[in-house]
Amino acid sequence: MEGYRLNPLLSQEQIASIVQGLANQISKDYTGRELVLVCILKGAFMFLSDLIRHLQIPVQVDFVRVASYGSGMKTSGKTEMTKDIEIPIEKKDVLIIEDIIDSGRTLQFLKDRLALLNPCSIKVCALLDKKARREVEMEADYLGIEVDDLFIVGYGIDFNEKFRHLPEIYYVTPIDHAKE
Ligand code: IMP
Ligand code: MG
């Protein structure tokens, strides 16, 4: 990508240890329960796939796609579900798997929608959290790590559909040609 620099934020080893820690906590808390993981596409696909491999309990997996209009580094705050869950969640425990919490609007929208289906509980597991950017009240029940107000890519997370494949996590900064 011309005009942008990728700066390392979390290595593969750091991510693996965060994910292992989350998987241990979740396995402990949901032992003996009927847990459905609801992964928010597309950003959380890599996080989900690593997380489930470290769980010591059986789970079901489903996916939603929640689009907020806008591209690049800005979203408009308008949210729409373009792919719904397919597994029944009534009387089951739901854990939403999210890559990164920003304004909190995506999760607020999804939690409200899933609540209409009468699950036993709905909690949130997020890999990253930009707490400084919050516009609505939203807390992850399981959080990997809080990050500064940076634009993040890699490990499933994109910038205009690029960089999802990177195994590490980076933050993007514009290259100031005047200073180089
Ligand atoms: P929210 O609804 O504002 O909390 O935004 C959450 C969604 O915006 C996440 O699921 C991400 O897909 C996307 N997002 C938020 N911050 C970043 C970022 O730094 N890089 C890439 N995508 C982001
Ligand atoms: Mg995204």
Side-chain angles (χ1 to χ4, degrees), residues 98-100 102-106 130 150-152 157-158:
E98 173 64 312
D99 53 354
I100 179 162
D102 189 305
S103 70
R105 290 186 189 280
T106 300
K130 295 198 267 192
L150 301 164
F151 197 83
I152 307 294
I157 304 167
D158 74 306

Side-chain angles (χ1 to χ4, degrees), residues 145-162:
I145 188 169
E146 187 178 337
V147 293
D148 292 337
D149 182 6
L150 301 164
F151 197 83
I152 307 294
V153 296
Y155 196 67
I157 304 167
D158 74 306
F159 173 39
N160 285 346
E161 295 302 328
K162 295 192 182 76

